[in-house]
């Protein structure tokens, strides 16, 4: 999973950089299209892969604020 994330990151980075190069030296619309697609790919492909990799095997309850935890925090503040 780690290597897949790195490969996708480098592909998106290369597309982003080449988009700026194409925009500057060749066709502006094509460069903007490549930049936009690389931004979309980073948001809808890279970020979910990364979040899945980082949250895999963790309990969501450990990071959720419930009424019991709020009461416990209030009791600790009063001490």
């Amino acid at each position: 999973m780690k290597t897949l994330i790195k490969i996708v990151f480098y592909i998106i980075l290369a597309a982003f950089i080449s988009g700026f190069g194409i925009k500057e030296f060749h066709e502006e619309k094509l460069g903007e299209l490549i930049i936009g697609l690389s931004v979309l790919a980073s948001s809808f492909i890279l970020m979910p892969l990364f979040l899945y990799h980082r949250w895999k095997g963790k309990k969501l309850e450990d990071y959720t604020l419930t009424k019991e935890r709020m009461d416990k925090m209030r009791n600790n503040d009063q001490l």
Side-chain angles (χ1 to χ4, degrees):
M1 181 60 94
K2 228 177 187 181
T3 56
L4 176 67
I5 292 173
K6 286 181 183 180
I7 290 170
V8 170
F9 172 74
Y10 288 127
I11 290 171
I12 291 172
L13 184 65
F16 195 70
I17 291 171
S18 66
F20 274 112
I22 290 172
K23 181 181 174 184
E24 187 69 31
F25 299 114
H26 297 290
E27 296 181 35
E28 186 173 337
K29 289 193 177 204
L30 180 62
E32 289 178 356
L33 177 68
I34 293 172
I35 293 169
L37 289 175
S38 64
V39 168
L40 281 174
S42 67
S43 344
F44 291 110
I45 296 173
L46 183 63
M47 190 182 301
L49 282 174
F50 176 75
L51 290 175
Y52 173 75
H53 172 68
R54 296 300 294 172
W55 280 82
K56 184 174 55 177
K58 295 185 180 174
K59 297 178 190 173
L60 186 60
E61 296 88 32
D62 293 341
Y63 303 99
T64 306
L65 195 58
T66 61
K67 181 168 175 28
E68 293 84 20
R69 292 197 182 183
M70 286 292 292
D71 293 338
K72 185 178 176 182
M73 287 174 26
R74 284 189 189 120
N75 289 337
N76 286 341
D77 287 342
Q78 291 174 359
L79 296 177

